[in-house]
Amino acid sequence: MKHKITGMTPMLMVYDMQTSLAFYCNVLGFNLIESAGPQDDIGWVLLRLNDIELMLNTQYEKPDRPHNQELLRNDHHGDVCLYFACNDIDGLYQSLKSKNIALKEPYITGYGWQTLDLTDPDGFKLSFHKPLHTF
């Protein structure tokens, strides 16, 4: 292969950018790197946490956004999960609990990883995990 693919940045379509920014920045610790649109109507952002990049884009332009989030749309996100490597699952769990995030306790998977699952404001599944044994 003559070219080298060097990275990937997922982009999630979100209902309310301010709510999503508060979650990803204030709760998970991402930093806002770039954004497009006026401050009160940001339509796209690039976020970074350590070596992880994530883009968010509004699902609807402001005048077209429904008054209520479409719960059925969130249900369709069940087939997508973003996995994050994390070296301290118990510490992350305590940190998220202190921020009043609704989540279940970490658990051990059948393949020997400690895992903590939660969903973002749009229903996207996030899984933080680490192997119990080094390979």
Side-chain angles (χ1 to χ4, degrees):
M1 189 176 262
K2 294 182 181 189
H3 58 274
K4 181 179 177 183
I5 298 171
T6 60
M8 181 184 79
T9 305
M11 182 170 77
L12 303 177
M13 303 301 283
V14 301
Y15 172 75
D16 181 89
M17 184 62 77
Q18 295 304 320
T19 299
S20 293
L21 280 173
F23 177 80
Y24 282 97
C25 294
N26 301 340
V27 173
L28 296 182
F30 278 82
N31 295 304
L32 177 62
I33 303 302
E34 291 183 55
S35 65
Q39 187 63 31
D40 65 340
D41 190 21
I42 297 172
W44 170 88
V45 297
L46 173 65
L47 304 176
R48 187 174 295 136
L49 174 63
N50 302 316
D51 293 331
I52 302 166
E53 287 188 342
L54 177 66
M55 292 185 292
L56 305 176
N57 196 80
T58 52
Q59 178 70 30
Y60 306 98
E61 296 299 323
K62 196 171 186 175
D64 300 325
R65 190 170 86 186
H67 293 296
N68 297 310
Q69 193 170 7
E70 299 173 54
L71 298 179
L72 181 60
R73 178 179 171 270
N74 289 6
D75 290 344
H76 289 290
H77 296 163
D79 59 354
V80 173
C81 185
L82 300 180
Y83 280 81
F84 297 87
C86 179
N87 65 353
D88 183 7
I89 299 296
D90 294 321
L92 177 61
Y93 174 72
Q94 293 303 323
S95 174
L96 293 172
K97 275 188 65 166
S98 74
K99 295 175 182 177
N100 296 317
I101 300 301
L103 68 162
K104 294 179 182 176
E105 291 187 11
Y107 62 96
I108 307 301
T109 68
Y111 48 88
W113 290 57
Q114 184 182 25
T115 302
L116 175 65
D117 296 327
L118 65 142
T119 57
D120 80 353
D122 284 270
F124 288 103
K125 293 190 292 187
L126 310 178
S127 185
F128 299 85
H129 66 153
K130 75 171 186 172
L132 293 177
H133 307 288
T134 57
F135 298 98

